[in-house]
Structures are given as C-alpha cells and as structure tokens.
Amino acid sequence: MADIAGAAQSSTDEFEREPLGVQERITSDGSSPWPVEPDRYRLVGARACPWANRAIISRRLHGLEPVISLGIAGPLHDDRSWRFHLDPEDKDPVLGIEYLREAYEKAVPGYDKGVTVPAVVEIASGKVVTNDYKALEFDFATQWSAYHRPGAPDLFPEKYRDEISELSEQIFHDVNNGVYKCGFAKGQHAYERAYTALFDRLDELSDRLADQRYLVGDTITEVDVRLWVTLVRFDAAYHGHFKCNRSKLTEMPVLWAYARDLFQTPGFGDTIDFTQIKQHYYGVHKEINPTGIVPVGPDPSGWLTPHHREELGGRPFGDGTPPEPPPVGEQVPPLR
C-alpha cells in the first residue's frame, strides 16, 4: 500500500523508500514542458505527511497561495491511495477526483509506483506533473520568484546553498527518513542501526543549535523547514509508533526550544493539525498498530510556551516579513 512512507518491498530487513514516479519540474525558463503559470496547477498535500508539509510551508512562506491552489487529502487511505475524504462528496472540489491515484494514472497510464504527496496536478488535464518534493521546494523558491509576495524570505541563499544541500542530505537520511527506518525495520539489527543514527544526528543538531538560532546563517532557510517537519511530529507519532523512544522531543531542551520557536513563527505552526497526524500514523499503518487505536495524547499546549530563542539573535525572515494568515479554507484548528 502506498502511504506517506513511500515504502517499497526490501530484500533486507531495512526500510527502503520507493523511487519517485513523476519527476518533472515546473520552470520559468522553458527548460521543461511545464511552464510557470498562475492558476494552472494545484498542489495536493496532506496535513499528516511531513514531505507534503515541507511544500505547504514553502508555498506559505513565499506567498504563492494566490497562484497555486491547495488541495488537502484526508489522513486515512487504503490501497487505492490518498483520498479526499474530508471534502464534500469525498472529492477534491477542483480536480473532481476521490483518489489521488486517478491523477497519477492520467499522467502515466498503468501507473505502478507510489502514490505520494506532495503532488502538483495540472488542473485542466487532471494529470500529476511532479511528485519530486525536493525539486518542488527549490522551484517554489527560484522558478516562481516573479509571483512571490513582497517580503518573501530567501530560503536558498546563494552563499549557503552548498551547506544547505549537505546538511539536508544528512537530515534526510538520518532524521526525516531515519524515523521511518526505525518504524518499518523488519529486524532488530536494522532497527538498532537506524535508531542509533537517528539519535546521533539529533544530538549533533542539538549541539549545532545550542548557540545559533537557525541551522544555517541567521535566518530561516529550507533546511530548517526540512528538519522541523519531523520534529513537530516526533512526540505525537515517532516516539511511540515508530519506537524512536530514547527521548521525547520535550526531553531534548535545545531541539524542543528550536521547534517551538518555529512553531510560533507564521507559516509553520499554522500548517499543523496534530489530530490528523495521529489519525494517519496510527490508523493507516496496520502492520505496526493493528488495532487502529489513536492515542489521545500528548498534550500539544506546550508548543505555545515561551522558547527564548530570540535571545540568540537572528531574524526569521531576514530583510523580509512574515506571511499573512492562511487563506480562508486553509486554516487548521487551534491547539486545544
């Protein structure tokens, strides 16, 4: 079944992520068959999914809401893929489809790879254009710049791109994907290798962030987005469900403060729905949680407590400004 993990069958005990199935790009210079064009595309995400969350945050920070619409798949799905079960008549109101697989099959007849989010769909044809989340985030920052809001931050500063790329790769392998390596390991040794790599990397990141507010430079960059989407789900899902249980995020003081700082920054916490996150992880991964029982905790109110990270200096948006509140229809429930 294709879920947010993008799990593929492995010949070893280790989790392997499926290759992306539609790796096109949307560009402004004619280098791809898909041009940058307002109102042509719809970003399909899910509140549950960290990979989709990255694209949703990037879209928010750059202010691309007026030119790229957003569809949200619900937290539950079956072997037919992500489903729009939160929308009227269980269909995306713009694309008119019940299952995201329909858009993949329009793009690639007989499509047999993972049906993942985020996915960008051309509205007129109903075809998936790309599910390449890494390229998508970079292209939101670079190819769509003519449509950025005034005050949009530079999430890929030229002078830091090599450092962002290197750090992003480390975080991807050991943290973003590392929690899945723990959760979907089929053997003790594979699990322990992933577990050790995960917490070694988190300790290293904690040391890095002990005296600087952000991971690279003195402003938010895309690598902060990439780390944060895993941290924000850590206690709600990964600590228990994926057996990443050496420490809760709330027991790692530097990372907990860093994560709260970003949660309270416009464009981050206003994309998070903890209920949907838990409904997905605990409700869909039947091989890990066969009862489907969704935990009541943890209490999310701590995300709004003071973090004091501003004392380290730094400017979240550099010379830019925070994004406006989410558009009507894209708000998430307040913490309760």
Side-chain angles (χ1 to χ4, degrees):
M1 180 169 69
D3 61 58
I4 64 172
Q9 293 296 318
S10 171
S11 59
T12 71
D13 288 339
E14 295 185 351
F15 166 77
E16 294 180 5
R17 185 166 295 279
E18 275 192 341
L20 296 168
V22 191
Q23 291 183 270
E24 297 282 359
R25 291 182 63 190
I26 300 170
T27 60
S28 59
D29 59 4
S31 60
S32 82
W34 302 102
V36 166
E37 185 178 315
D39 304 319
R40 181 168 178 170
Y41 307 102
R42 185 165 177 82
L43 172 64
V44 176
R47 298 295 182 192
C49 175
W51 316 98
N53 198 184
R54 288 164 45 160
I56 291 170
I57 291 170
S58 180
R59 171 180 172 270
R60 283 271 294 123
L61 296 182
H62 290 122
L64 292 172
E65 295 100 329
V67 296
I68 304 171
S69 66
L70 178 65
I72 294 292
L76 302 176
H77 58 68
D78 56 29
D79 57 3
R80 288 168 289 185
S81 78
W82 290 96
R83 223 179 128 229
F84 297 97
H85 64 89
L86 300 181
D87 288 309
E89 300 181 359
D90 294 337
K91 291 185 177 181
D92 179 89
V94 172
L95 301 174
I97 58 176
E98 182 178 0
Y99 288 92
L100 183 56
R101 174 172 290 280
E102 298 172 53
Y104 277 84
E105 291 177 341
K106 284 184 179 178
V108 183
Y111 183 80
D112 61 358
K113 294 183 174 65
V115 176
T116 60
V117 289
V120 176
V121 181
E122 184 186 39
I123 295 171
S125 68
K127 296 178 179 179
V128 168
V129 172
T130 183
N131 68 343
D132 189 342
Y133 52 89
K134 288 175 63 176
L136 180 60
E137 293 158 23
F138 185 73
D139 290 343
F140 278 172
T142 59
Q143 301 300 309
W144 289 84
S145 57
Y147 299 99
H148 286 181
R149 65 180 176 84
D154 184 357
L155 298 182
F156 288 94
E158 192 78 45
K159 66 178 180 178
Y160 292 128
R161 284 186 185 175
D162 288 345
E163 188 175 0
I164 288 170
S165 177
E166 180 181 2
L167 191 55
S168 291
E169 281 299 302
Q170 295 168 357
I171 289 171
F172 170 80
H173 288 292
D174 296 337
V175 181
N176 301 142
N177 206 34
V179 294
Y180 288 94
K181 292 177 184 178
C182 291
F184 289 101
K186 299 301 183 184
Q188 188 69 32
H189 292 305
Y191 162 70
E192 290 184 10
R193 282 193 298 271
Y195 177 99
T196 300
L198 167 65
F199 283 103
D200 283 352
R201 185 67 66 190
L202 289 176
D203 287 344
E204 182 181 296
L205 292 167
S206 181
D207 289 343
R208 183 186 185 102
L209 288 163
D211 57 5
Q212 64 186 64
R213 192 171 179 185
Y214 305 111
L215 285 169
V216 175
D218 65 352
T219 65
I220 293 167
T221 64
E222 191 66 35
V223 71
D224 292 296
V225 177
R226 292 174 180 183
L227 173 60
W228 185 81
V229 296
T230 296
L231 295 182
V232 78
R233 290 163 173 78
F234 202 89
D235 288 3
Y238 307 141
H239 178 270
H241 186 57
F242 279 176
K243 307 180 188 70
C244 301
N245 60 357
R246 188 202 74 178
S247 311
K248 296 176 183 175
L249 177 65
T250 55
E251 296 166 345
M252 295 182 272
V254 171
L255 293 177
W256 174 224
Y258 166 80
R260 298 202 314 279
D261 185 4
L262 289 176
F263 187 93
Q264 295 170 34
T265 299
F268 285 82
D270 55 27
T271 68
I272 296 298
D273 187 321
F274 284 111
T275 297
Q276 289 194 36
I277 288 170
K278 291 189 295 183
Q279 286 174 339
H280 175 81
Y281 281 96
Y282 289 93
V284 168
H285 300 152
K286 296 296 187 182
E287 69 273 38
I288 299 176
N289 185 42
T291 66
I293 294 172
V294 178
V296 175
D299 179 1
S301 62
W303 285 98
L304 300 179
T305 59
H307 52 77
H308 305 296
R309 294 282 293 179
E310 67 278 358
E311 296 171 8
L312 295 174
R315 300 174 299 151
F317 300 101
D319 294 329
T321 57
E324 294 294 321
V328 174
E330 294 187 15
Q331 302 94 338
V332 297
L335 292 186
R336 57 184 186 276

